[in-house]
């Protein structure tokens, strides 16, 4: 029996109900409700003073451990893209690199999808760590980049196929103007 959660459906002004979930089966055959990412992002509250006070009231012990500069809503941002290797957030409008779809095959996508990975992304900050000032001139990851990744992010690299460590498997994604 499919029992949607309280936030899985919404009603429009004209009374039409929109479902915001997808149903799948887990490995045991149980039905699982998966919230659509767009809906989850829309459901997040905007950071403001009221939200920070609510967080302080709900989670006083955890809130007390936050540095003072993080307790203000002005420093909070929502990131939806992260570097696969370093975990660094990639802000909207920031340059990054990603593996071509032709390399990120359905089988590979399914394997990484179980871990919540929908694309393999490399932040420009990692490129800067490897190439320093010349990072701006480097159009795609180089052998030096791949060696750096394998040395510093061996656990993530172990999940990759050999094709990922070929320069032609990558593309540079420039900020939208």
């Amino acid at each position: 029996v499919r029992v949607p959660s309280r936030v899985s459906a919404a009603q429009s002004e004209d009374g039409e109900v929109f479902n915001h979930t997808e149903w799948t089966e887990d490995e045991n055959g149980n039905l699982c409700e998966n919230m659509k990412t767009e809906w989850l992002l829309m459901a997040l509250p905007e950071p403001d003073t009221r939200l920070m006070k609510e967080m302080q009231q709900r989670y006083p012990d955890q809130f007390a451990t936050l540095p003072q500069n993080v307790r203000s809503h002005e420093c909070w941002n929502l990131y939806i893209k992260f570097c696969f290797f370093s975990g660094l957030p990639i802000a909207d409008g920031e340059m990054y690199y990603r593996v071509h779809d032709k390399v990120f095959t359905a089988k590979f996508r399914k394997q990484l999808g179980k871990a919540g990975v929908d694309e393999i992304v490399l932040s420009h900050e990692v490129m800067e760590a490897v190439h320093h000032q010349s990072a701006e001139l480097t159009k795609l990851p180089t052998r030096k980049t791949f060696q750096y990744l394998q040395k510093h992010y061996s656990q993530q690299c172990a999940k990759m196929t050999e094709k990922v460590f070929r320069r032609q498997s990558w593309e540079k994604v420039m900020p939208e103007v």
Side-chain angles (χ1 to χ4, degrees):
V1 174
R2 295 181 183 182
V3 180
S5 64
R6 291 184 306 153
V7 295
S8 67
Q11 202 166 13
S12 68
E13 293 172 2
D14 61 357
E16 185 178 350
V17 175
F18 294 98
N19 289 319
H20 298 286
T21 58
E22 298 169 334
W23 293 88
T24 59
E25 283 188 23
D26 66 13
E27 59 276 0
N28 299 319
N30 299 313
L31 280 176
C32 300
E33 180 183 25
N34 297 318
M35 299 294 292
K36 292 181 181 174
T37 307
E38 309 82 43
W39 175 244
L40 287 173
L41 292 174
M42 288 174 23
L44 288 174
E46 285 293 323
D48 58 15
T49 307
R50 184 188 56 75
L51 177 64
M52 297 309 289
K53 284 181 182 177
E54 184 178 333
M55 298 304 278
Q56 185 177 14
Q57 289 170 352
R58 283 189 184 195
Y59 311 103
D61 295 338
Q62 295 88 339
F63 194 87
T65 65
L66 292 174
Q68 285 296 324
N69 61 331
V70 186
R71 295 179 189 192
S72 171
H73 70 277
E74 284 101 11
C75 69
W76 289 86
N77 292 309
L78 177 64
Y79 295 99
I80 57 173
K81 191 173 293 295
F82 296 87
C83 177
F84 175 80
F85 300 95
S86 68
L88 291 169
I90 299 172
D92 283 344
E94 197 173 292
M95 178 174 43
Y96 63 94
Y97 308 83
R98 71 181 202 97
V99 171
H100 283 292
D101 287 336
K102 65 182 180 213
V103 176
F104 200 47
T105 62
K107 180 181 175 186
F108 193 30
R109 189 178 307 274
K110 185 176 181 180
Q111 174 189 347
L112 290 176
K114 291 177 183 176
V117 176
D118 57 355
E119 66 178 341
I120 302 168
V121 174
L122 175 65
S123 75
H124 186 67
E125 289 180 9
V126 171
M127 289 287 280
E128 287 175 333
V130 176
H131 298 286
H132 309 290
Q133 291 87 0
S134 64
E136 292 296 326
L137 303 174
T138 308
K139 293 184 180 186
L140 296 172
T142 63
R143 185 178 314 137
K144 184 177 178 181
T145 308
F146 297 135
Q147 289 170 342
Y148 179 90
L149 293 175
Q150 289 170 332
K151 179 180 179 184
H152 296 281
Y153 305 108
S154 58
Q155 188 175 7
Q156 293 88 328
C157 289
K159 300 172 187 172
M160 303 291 100
T161 65
E162 190 57 39
K163 287 182 179 180
V164 170
F165 301 104
R166 296 181 190 152
R167 194 166 197 226
Q168 63 270 21
S169 297
W170 291 82
E171 64 183 335
K172 188 177 198 176
V173 180
M174 297 296 289
E176 293 181 16
V177 182

